[in-house]
C-alpha cells in the first residue's frame, strides 16, 4: 500500500527522473512508428494492389515477421551497429537512434501486414471505378491509402503498442544507460529487480495511461470521421 502511495506521489510531484524517462520513451517510440509507417504503409499497399512472382512468399514472410522475437531483432541491430559491423563507423550503438532503428524493424511488418489487408478489402470496392478512370498503380496506392487513412489508425496503434511495450530489443541496442537510453519498460524491469517498486509502479501506471489515452483519441477520430462521411 505504501509503495503504491509513493508511486502516485512521484507522478503528482513531477519527479524529474520520471519525466525524463517518459519523454525519452515517447520520443523513441513515436519516431520508430513514424519511420515504420514510411516503409510499411506503401509496402502493404503495393502487396495488396500488385501481382508479381514471389508475391505470395513475400506476403507470408511479412505476416510471419509480425511475430519476430524482439531479442533476435536486437541482436541483429547490435551486430550491424557494433564497431566490427557494417554500420559501426556511424557510432549509433547504445544511443536513442539505435533504439529507434530496432523498434522500427519490429513495427514495419505489423503495419505492412495490416495495411495490406485493409487496402485489399478497399480495392475490391473501388476496383472498377479506379480502373475505368485509368488510375495507374502509383495513383491507386495514394488514393486507397488516403481513403483508408482512418482505418489504418488501427495498424499504427498496433505498431505503437508493440514498440512502447518492448524491453529486450531496446535493452540490447540501447544499453539502458541512465539519463540517456533508459526507457519506461527497461526502467521498470531494472527497478523491479532492485526492489525500487515505487518508481517501477509509477512508470507502469503512466505507460498504461498513455496507451489508453492514445487509443481513446484514435477511436474518437475514427468515430468522428465515420459520422462526417455519413452526413
Amino acid at each position: 500500500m505504501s509503495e503504491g502511495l509513493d508511486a502516485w506521489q512521484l507522478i503528482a510531484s513531477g519527479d524529474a527522473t520520471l519525466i525524463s524517462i517518459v519523454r525519452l520513451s515517447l520520443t523513441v517510440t513515436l519516431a520508430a512508428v513514424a519511420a515504420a509507417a514510411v516503409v510499411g504503409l506503401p509496402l502493404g499497399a503495393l502487396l495488396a494492389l500488385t501481382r508479381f512472382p514471389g508475391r505470395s512468399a513475400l506476403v507470408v514472410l511479412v505476416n510471419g515477421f509480425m511475430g519476430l522475437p524482439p531479442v533476435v531483432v536486437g541482436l541483429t541491430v547490435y551486430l550491424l551497429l557494433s564497431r566490427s559491423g557494417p554500420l559501426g563507423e556511424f557510432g549509433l550503438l547504445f544511443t536513442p537512434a539505435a533504439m529507434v532503428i530496432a523498434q522500427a524493424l519490429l513495427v514495419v511488418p505489423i503495419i505492412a501486414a495490416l495495411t495490406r489487408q485493409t487496402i485489399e478489402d478497399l480495392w475490391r470496392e473501388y476496383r472498377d471505378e479506379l480502373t475505368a478512370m485509368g488510375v495507374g498503380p502509383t495513383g491507386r496506392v495514394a488514393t486507397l491509402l488516403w481513403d483508408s487513412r482512418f482505418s489504418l489508425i488501427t495498424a499504427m496503434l498496433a505498431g505503437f503498442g508493440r514498440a512502447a511495450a518492448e524491453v529486450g530489443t531496446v535493452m540490447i541496442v540501447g544499453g539502458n544507460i541512465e539519463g540517456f537510453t533508459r526507457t519506461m519498460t527497461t526502467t521498470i524491469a531494472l527497478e523491479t529487480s532492485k526492489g525500487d517498486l515505487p518508481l517501477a509502479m509509477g512508470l507502469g501506471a503512466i505507460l498504461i495511461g498513455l496507451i489508453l489515452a492514445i487509443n481513446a483519441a484514435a477511436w474518437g477520430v475514427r468515430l468522428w470521421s465515420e459520422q462526417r462521411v455519413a452526413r
Side-chain angles (χ1 to χ4, degrees), residues 30-122:
L30 291 174
V33 173
V38 171
V39 177
L41 290 175
L43 174 60
L46 286 172
L47 288 175
L49 299 175
T50 59
R51 297 294 181 271
F52 52 87
R55 174 187 174 276
S56 297
L58 185 56
V59 169
V60 171
L61 189 65
V62 169
N63 289 338
F65 277 6
M66 290 177 69
L68 271 176
V71 290
V72 174
V73 174
L75 176 60
T76 301
V77 175
Y78 178 91
L79 294 175
L80 289 173
L81 300 182
S82 64
R83 289 187 177 182
S84 58
L87 303 178
E89 61 182 295
F90 296 105
L92 295 176
L93 193 61
F94 303 137
T95 66
M99 297 156 66
V100 171
I101 293 171
Q103 286 192 358
L105 289 177
L106 281 174
V107 174
V108 164
I110 296 173
I111 293 179
L114 295 178
T115 299
R116 180 192 63 79
Q117 187 59 59
T118 299
I119 298 300
E120 275 190 356
D121 294 340
L122 200 61

Side-chain angles (χ1 to χ4, degrees), residues 3-4 27 39 53 60 86 89 98 103 127 166 185 191 199 207:
E3 290 167 341
T27 300
V39 177
V60 171
E89 61 182 295
Q103 286 192 358
R127 176 187 298 163
E166 185 47 45
T185 52
E191 297 304 320
L199 180 56
L207 181 58

